[in-house]
PDB file of all heavy atoms in Angstrom:
ATOM      1  N   GLU A 137      81.750  77.730  73.854  1.00 97.00           N
ATOM      2  CA  GLU A 137      82.871  78.238  74.644  1.00 97.00           C
ATOM      3  C   GLU A 137      82.753  79.732  74.895  1.00 97.00           C
ATOM      4  O   GLU A 137      82.989  80.204  76.021  1.00 97.00           O
ATOM      5  CB  GLU A 137      84.185  77.935  73.926  1.00 97.00           C
ATOM      6  CG  GLU A 137      85.418  78.365  74.687  1.00 97.00           C
ATOM      7  CD  GLU A 137      86.698  77.958  73.977  1.00 97.00           C
ATOM      8  OE1 GLU A 137      86.636  77.691  72.755  1.00 97.00           O
ATOM      9  OE2 GLU A 137      87.746  77.894  74.637  1.00 97.00           O
ATOM     10  N   SER A 138      82.359  80.477  73.875  1.00 96.00           N
ATOM     11  CA  SER A 138      82.274  81.932  73.998  1.00 96.00           C
ATOM     12  C   SER A 138      81.246  82.347  75.054  1.00 96.00           C
ATOM     13  O   SER A 138      81.466  83.314  75.800  1.00 96.00           O
ATOM     14  CB  SER A 138      81.918  82.564  72.650  1.00 96.00           C
ATOM     15  OG  SER A 138      80.695  82.023  72.152  1.00 96.00           O
ATOM     16  N   THR A 139      80.138  81.620  75.136  1.00 96.00           N
ATOM     17  CA  THR A 139      79.081  81.954  76.104  1.00 96.00           C
ATOM     18  C   THR A 139      79.531  81.658  77.526  1.00 96.00           C
ATOM     19  O   THR A 139      79.444  82.506  78.420  1.00 96.00           O
ATOM     20  CB  THR A 139      77.802  81.164  75.793  1.00 96.00           C
ATOM     21  OG1 THR A 139      77.388  81.449  74.465  1.00 96.00           O
ATOM     22  CG2 THR A 139      76.689  81.544  76.760  1.00 96.00           C
ATOM     23  N   HIS A 140      80.014  80.448  77.748  1.00 94.00           N
ATOM     24  CA  HIS A 140      80.437  80.055  79.095  1.00 94.00           C
ATOM     25  C   HIS A 140      81.578  80.942  79.585  1.00 94.00           C
ATOM     26  O   HIS A 140      81.578  81.396  80.737  1.00 94.00           O
ATOM     27  CB  HIS A 140      80.867  78.587  79.083  1.00 94.00           C
ATOM     28  CG  HIS A 140      81.294  78.066  80.422  1.00 94.00           C
ATOM     29  ND1 HIS A 140      80.426  77.507  81.317  1.00 94.00           N
ATOM     30  CD2 HIS A 140      82.521  78.024  81.016  1.00 94.00           C
ATOM     31  CE1 HIS A 140      81.079  77.128  82.403  1.00 94.00           C
ATOM     32  NE2 HIS A 140      82.349  77.430  82.244  1.00 94.00           N
ATOM     33  N   ASP A 141      82.555  81.196  78.714  1.00 93.00           N
ATOM     34  CA  ASP A 141      83.710  81.992  79.119  1.00 93.00           C
ATOM     35  C   ASP A 141      83.342  83.446  79.372  1.00 93.00           C
ATOM     36  O   ASP A 141      83.953  84.121  80.213  1.00 93.00           O
ATOM     37  CB  ASP A 141      84.804  81.912  78.058  1.00 93.00           C
ATOM     38  CG  ASP A 141      85.554  80.582  78.094  1.00 93.00           C
ATOM     39  OD1 ASP A 141      85.157  79.702  78.885  1.00 93.00           O
ATOM     40  OD2 ASP A 141      86.516  80.424  77.328  1.00 93.00           O
ATOM     41  N   LEU A 142      82.349  83.963  78.651  1.00 92.00           N
ATOM     42  CA  LEU A 142      81.881  85.329  78.890  1.00 92.00           C
ATOM     43  C   LEU A 142      81.295  85.453  80.291  1.00 92.00           C
ATOM     44  O   LEU A 142      81.535  86.439  80.996  1.00 92.00           O
ATOM     45  CB  LEU A 142      80.821  85.721  77.852  1.00 92.00           C
ATOM     46  CG  LEU A 142      80.099  87.061  78.080  1.00 92.00           C
ATOM     47  CD1 LEU A 142      81.091  88.215  77.897  1.00 92.00           C
ATOM     48  CD2 LEU A 142      78.918  87.213  77.136  1.00 92.00           C
ATOM     49  N   ILE A 143      80.526  84.451  80.687  1.00 88.00           N
ATOM     50  CA  ILE A 143      79.866  84.458  81.993  1.00 88.00           C
ATOM     51  C   ILE A 143      80.880  84.223  83.110  1.00 88.00           C
ATOM     52  O   ILE A 143      80.806  84.847  84.173  1.00 88.00           O
ATOM     53  CB  ILE A 143      78.757  83.386  82.033  1.00 88.00           C
ATOM     54  CG1 ILE A 143      77.651  83.738  81.033  1.00 88.00           C
ATOM     55  CG2 ILE A 143      78.196  83.227  83.439  1.00 88.00           C
ATOM     56  CD1 ILE A 143      76.689  82.603  80.763  1.00 88.00           C
ATOM     57  N   ARG A 144      81.825  83.333  82.866  1.00 88.00           N
ATOM     58  CA  ARG A 144      82.765  82.945  83.924  1.00 88.00           C
ATOM     59  C   ARG A 144      84.150  83.556  83.677  1.00 88.00           C
ATOM     60  O   ARG A 144      84.448  84.633  84.170  1.00 88.00           O
ATOM     61  CB  ARG A 144      82.808  81.420  84.041  1.00 88.00           C
ATOM     62  CG  ARG A 144      81.481  80.868  84.585  1.00 88.00           C
ATOM     63  CD  ARG A 144      81.458  79.375  84.764  1.00 88.00           C
ATOM     64  NE  ARG A 144      80.192  78.973  85.383  1.00 88.00           N
ATOM     65  CZ  ARG A 144      80.000  78.832  86.686  1.00 88.00           C
ATOM     66  NH1 ARG A 144      81.002  79.027  87.513  1.00 88.00           N
ATOM     67  NH2 ARG A 144      78.825  78.479  87.168  1.00 88.00           N
ATOM     68  N   GLU A 145      84.979  82.905  82.893  1.00 89.00           N
ATOM     69  CA  GLU A 145      86.328  83.416  82.679  1.00 89.00           C
ATOM     70  C   GLU A 145      86.925  82.715  81.466  1.00 89.00           C
ATOM     71  O   GLU A 145      86.585  81.570  81.166  1.00 89.00           O
ATOM     72  CB  GLU A 145      87.192  83.181  83.925  1.00 89.00           C
ATOM     73  CG  GLU A 145      88.463  84.001  83.966  1.00 89.00           C
ATOM     74  CD  GLU A 145      89.130  83.944  85.327  1.00 89.00           C
ATOM     75  OE1 GLU A 145      88.495  84.367  86.316  1.00 89.00           O
ATOM     76  OE2 GLU A 145      90.284  83.476  85.398  1.00 89.00           O
ATOM     77  N   ARG A 146      87.817  83.394  80.776  1.00 93.00           N
ATOM     78  CA  ARG A 146      88.441  82.809  79.596  1.00 93.00           C
ATOM     79  C   ARG A 146      89.141  81.500  79.952  1.00 93.00           C
ATOM     80  O   ARG A 146      89.902  81.428  80.916  1.00 93.00           O
ATOM     81  CB  ARG A 146      89.449  83.793  78.997  1.00 93.00           C
ATOM     82  CG  ARG A 146      90.029  83.338  77.667  1.00 93.00           C
ATOM     83  CD  ARG A 146      90.911  84.417  77.080  1.00 93.00           C
ATOM     84  NE  ARG A 146      91.459  83.993  75.796  1.00 93.00           N
ATOM     85  CZ  ARG A 146      92.253  84.744  75.031  1.00 93.00           C
ATOM     86  NH1 ARG A 146      92.577  85.975  75.437  1.00 93.00           N
ATOM     87  NH2 ARG A 146      92.711  84.295  73.892  1.00 93.00           N
ATOM     88  N   GLY A 147      88.857  80.473  79.196  1.00 95.00           N
ATOM     89  CA  GLY A 147      89.451  79.164  79.427  1.00 95.00           C
ATOM     90  C   GLY A 147      88.642  78.265  80.340  1.00 95.00           C
ATOM     91  O   GLY A 147      88.945  77.068  80.473  1.00 95.00           O
ATOM     92  N   SER A 148      87.590  78.804  80.954  1.00 95.00           N
ATOM     93  CA  SER A 148      86.823  78.017  81.923  1.00 95.00           C
ATOM     94  C   SER A 148      85.978  76.934  81.257  1.00 95.00           C
ATOM     95  O   SER A 148      85.721  75.881  81.858  1.00 95.00           O
ATOM     96  CB  SER A 148      85.934  78.931  82.765  1.00 95.00           C
ATOM     97  OG  SER A 148      85.010  79.637  81.957  1.00 95.00           O
TER      98      SER A 148
END
Side-chain angles (χ1 to χ4, degrees):
E137 183 176 20
S138 57
T139 302
H140 181 89
D141 284 5
L142 172 67
I143 295 166
R144 292 182 176 268
E145 196 168 299
R146 187 175 181 179
S148 61

